[in-house]
Amino acid sequence: QSVLTQPPSVSAAPGQKVTISCSGSSSNIGNNYVSWYQQLPGTAPKLLIYENNKRPSWIPDRFSGSKSGTSATLGITGLQTGDEADYYCGTWDNSLSAVFGGGTKVTVL
Amino acid sequence: QLQLQESGSRLVKPSQTLSLTCAVSGGSISSGGYSWSWIRQPPGRDLEWFGYVYHSGSTYYNPSLKSRVTISVETSKNQFSLNLSSVTAADTAVYYCARAVRGYNNYYMDVWGKGTTVTVSS
């Protein structure tokens, strides 16, 4: 069982918006920055969001991140078929380890 | 553009040691401010972090795996390595190397290798 909790799946039609939640505790999300990763089928994870809400330069602004208390949220607007992937949240845990969520599969209907 | 490429034993027998190397190209492993990490993903399962090494050779390991893990760096070859001892079938996974940013209250992997599949079987 993952330290961080994510919904197994979310779905929406093309052009719509989805949000993915990531729930943790005061020992991880509550006191550390959150990052998000996109894993397209058969490929390695790729950094999507770091330090809660910052995007690498190559990531479009359709992707956004936020954090409140011990939870974080990834938002994807203008959903495209190419966004179908697994999405993972990650952070540092004060038990002295990097931890991840169990992943959320995004399906474009 | 920085690239990472994993290599090493793809099939390991139970109780033996899994050994992987990550070759770094397009940049120096000695560039400051970064740590070099290993992560794995068993089939259909979650990401699991092993730990990291700095170019200085200092290391930090996941406490839950620490007894079996060694991560080392060879700056002259611009590469770093993972050794995992006493493997079992549960260690079958895709293994990734990654560059990581480690700061105060902050840790994330910004560049990942493509991954290599390791199977533990007799």
Side-chain angles (χ1 to χ4, degrees), chain B residues 25-81:
Chain B
S25 60
S28 173
I29 203 168
S30 297
S31 55
Y34 296 107
S35 62
W36 303 91
S37 305
W38 288 95
I39 305 101
R40 72 179 176 184
Q41 186 173 36
R45 293 182 60 186
D46 308 346
L47 297 167
E48 183 174 32
W49 177 79
F50 280 96
Y52 60 73
V53 62
Y54 283 107
H55 66 88
S56 63
S58 62
T59 54
Y60 185 82
Y61 300 131
N62 184 334
S64 67
L65 294 166
K66 184 176 182 178
S67 63
R68 297 198 293 136
V69 175
T70 303
I71 300 175
S72 58
V73 64
E74 288 187 81
T75 55
S76 61
K77 295 182 178 180
N78 220 34
Q79 64 184 33
F80 61 107
S81 300

Side-chain angles (χ1 to χ4, degrees), chain A residues 1-2 31-33 35 37 39 43-47 50-51 58 88 91-92 95-98 100-103, chain B residues 39 41 45-49 52 60-63 96 101-102 104-115:
Chain A
Q1 190 162 346
S2 304
N31 285 285
N32 294 284
Y33 288 105
S35 53
Y37 305 88
Q39 187 174 32
T43 70
K46 178 178 76 171
L47 179 66
Y50 66 100
E51 294 179 1
W58 57 89
Y88 293 87
T91 188
W92 187 258
S95 65
L96 306 180
S97 174
F100 297 95
Chain B
I39 305 101
Q41 186 173 36
R45 293 182 60 186
D46 308 346
L47 297 167
E48 183 174 32
W49 177 79
Y52 60 73
Y60 185 82
Y61 300 131
N62 184 334
Y96 298 101
V101 174
R102 178 77 175 106
Y104 182 70
N105 291 353
N106 199 9
Y107 187 82
Y108 62 92
M109 279 65 73
D110 67 341
V111 181
W112 294 65
K114 293 183 178 180

Side-chain angles (χ1 to χ4, degrees), chain A:
Chain A
Q1 190 162 346
S2 304
V3 173
L4 306 178
T5 301
Q6 298 180 233
S9 64
V10 297
S11 61
Q16 298 300 303
K17 176 180 180 179
V18 295
T19 59
I20 300 171
S21 60
C22 175
S23 177
S25 68
S26 58
S27 69
N28 41 67
I29 292 178
N31 285 285
N32 294 284
Y33 288 105
V34 176
S35 53
W36 289 89
Y37 305 88
Q38 177 193 59
Q39 187 174 32
L40 296 168
T43 70
K46 178 178 76 171
L47 179 66
L48 209 56
I49 297 288
Y50 66 100
E51 294 179 1
N52 300 337
N53 55 18
K54 295 179 181 177
R55 285 176 291 105
S57 58
W58 57 89
I59 300 300
D61 60 5
R62 299 188 298 107
F63 295 89
S64 64
S66 64
K67 177 186 135 175
S68 178
T70 59
S71 293
T73 301
L74 174 70
I76 310 174
T77 59
L79 200 61
Q80 301 176 2
T81 55
D83 297 332
E84 288 202 330
D86 293 325
Y87 292 82
Y88 293 87
C89 57
T91 188
W92 187 258
D93 189 285
N94 294 341
S95 65
L96 306 180
S97 174
V99 292
F100 297 95
T104 298
K105 182 176 183 60
V106 169
T107 300
V108 181
L109 301 173

